[in-house]
Every structure is written in C-alpha cells, then in structure tokens.
Amino acid sequence: MCIRDRARSLTVLSGVALLAFTAKVFIPLSQSEILLDNARSAAQRGDFTSAEEMARQASKLDPANSDVHTLIGKLRESWSPRRGENISLALKAYEDALELDCWNRNAMEGLWRIYNTGRPPKLEETLVITIRLLSAYPTSSRYNIMAGGLYERMGRTIDAIIHYRMALYIDDHVEQHGAQLSADEREKTTTALWPVSYTHLTLPTKRIV
C-alpha cells in the first residue's frame, strides 16, 4: 500500500472514530439537555409526574449531570401528597447532586430549606449548609441574612448581628448584579438589629471587591 493510500485509510478510520464518539457521547448529552428542558417546562405547568419521568430519563443519558438530581429534588419538594415521603426523596436527590458537584448552589439551597423547615428544624445541619453557601458566595447579602436569622434562632445573638450588619454593608458597597436587597428586605434586616445593642461591633471600612 502506497503512502497516499495509507493516509486515505487513516482519514477514513479517523472519520469513523469521530462519528462513533459523537454517537456515543454528544448525542446522548444533547438528548439529555432536551429532556431536562422539557422536564422544567412540564414542572412549570404543574405536571410534576411527567417532569420527574423526563428528568430520570435525562439522568440515564447523562448520569454525571448534577442539575438533573437538583430538579428532581425541587419536584419532590413541590408535591404535597405524602409530604414526608417526598421530602425524604428530595433530600436524597439533593445529596446525590452534591456528590456529583459539591458546590451545586441549588442543591445546597434545597438542603437548607429542608433542614431549616423540618419538624423540628435541624439547626446544626442548616448551619453547616449556611457556612458552605457563605464560603462559596461570601458577598451575598441574602445568605448573610439567612445566617443572621439562623444564629438568632440558635441564641447566638452576636453572630446574628454580625451577619445582619454584613448583609446591609454588602448591599451598600457591592454590586450584586440584580440581587440587591429590596426595600422590604432592608427594612426587615434593619428591624432585626434593634432588640440588641451592637454599638461595640465594627465592620471594615474598606470596600469589598
């Protein structure tokens, strides 16, 4: 076989390999994204059963996609029948999402909601998730408010005041890209500070970047 024939054969083989790779990897991933989009649309219509079925199909096509598990968690949180069972399944879905992506924001927020609103609430577990959220997003006013409210419920007044004040400070000094506190949120946060004297607490004057 001459050099030209060998080159032609290699080109054909490369093309076949590329097609096989595309069929095995990219097509399933594309189908998974389509199913995930359809599942979100179904959820918006209130068709949670169809939404979860499509989400689970998407998970089979792309098992490494943590967003699929997060969506399943949100769906289970939204179902009112068999509330306890659904919350347990939502918890499992969020945990699965975090195993795939330990910084999945929606999954962390999902766990925060479940722990914080449980009967009784799991305050220590909620605190762990709050700290993780603040570690990932330290300049989030809302996460600081969440931390302040949690510390207040736990009787840790000084920590609560620090986070409430930090939330207001961030809102005044940091551009949060459309996530600034509303007037109502600012009023509630400011009101939460009044019951306790905090004149001895100070915050840095340097602008947060």
Side-chain angles (χ1 to χ4, degrees):
M1 183 181 292
C2 66
I3 293 176
R4 180 176 295 178
D5 288 339
R6 288 178 181 173
R8 187 176 299 166
S9 298
L10 288 173
T11 301
V12 172
L13 289 173
S14 298
V16 171
L18 180 60
L19 287 172
F21 180 78
T22 300
K24 186 175 182 180
V25 177
F26 286 105
I27 291 178
L29 291 180
S30 298
Q31 291 175 336
S32 175
E33 288 299 323
I34 292 171
L35 282 167
L36 196 54
D37 287 340
N38 291 340
R40 292 189 181 105
S41 297
Q44 290 177 350
R45 297 193 304 270
D47 186 358
F48 299 139
T49 302
S50 297
E52 182 169 349
E53 183 179 345
M54 286 185 281
R56 293 194 181 281
Q57 290 176 7
S59 180
K60 291 178 182 179
L61 292 169
D62 184 10
N65 189 344
S66 63
D67 290 337
V68 176
H69 297 282
T70 300
L71 177 58
I72 292 172
K74 287 184 176 180
L75 291 170
R76 285 292 175 173
E77 271 193 279
S78 301
W79 286 3
S80 53
R82 300 194 305 278
R83 179 71 177 165
E85 177 185 341
N86 286 325
I87 290 300
S88 296
L89 291 171
L91 183 67
K92 175 68 166 56
Y94 291 137
E95 289 173 343
D96 288 343
L98 288 173
E99 287 209 2
L100 294 169
D101 176 7
C102 62
W103 295 107
N104 186 306
R105 187 174 190 170
N106 289 327
M108 285 191 285
E109 288 183 349
L111 287 180
W112 193 95
R113 286 191 301 272
I114 290 175
Y115 290 145
N116 190 51
T117 59
R119 297 181 182 179
K122 297 182 177 180
L123 298 184
E124 292 296 336
E125 288 85 344
T126 308
L127 179 60
V128 171
I129 298 298
T130 306
I131 291 171
R132 287 181 66 179
L133 283 166
L134 281 171
S135 296
Y137 306 97
T139 58
S140 168
S141 293
R142 287 188 174 85
Y143 290 157
N144 273 282
I145 291 173
M146 286 160 59
L150 179 61
Y151 281 127
E152 188 175 358
R153 291 166 67 191
M154 297 174 75
R156 296 172 57 173
T157 306
I158 299 301
D159 289 321
I161 291 171
I162 289 173
H163 283 283
Y164 283 142
R165 294 196 69 196
M166 183 60 76
L168 294 173
Y169 180 85
I170 290 170
D171 198 57
D172 287 337
H173 294 81
V174 180
E175 174 59 47
Q176 297 186 76
H177 306 290
Q180 305 300 135
L181 296 178
S182 66
D184 184 56
E185 288 172 321
R186 285 189 63 88
E187 182 180 355
K188 287 180 179 178
T189 304
T190 303
T191 302
L193 290 168
W194 285 114
V196 182
S197 172
Y198 55 88
T199 54
H200 63 289
L201 294 175
T202 58
L203 286 174
T205 56
K206 184 177 180 182
R207 182 184 177 90
I208 298 176
V209 180

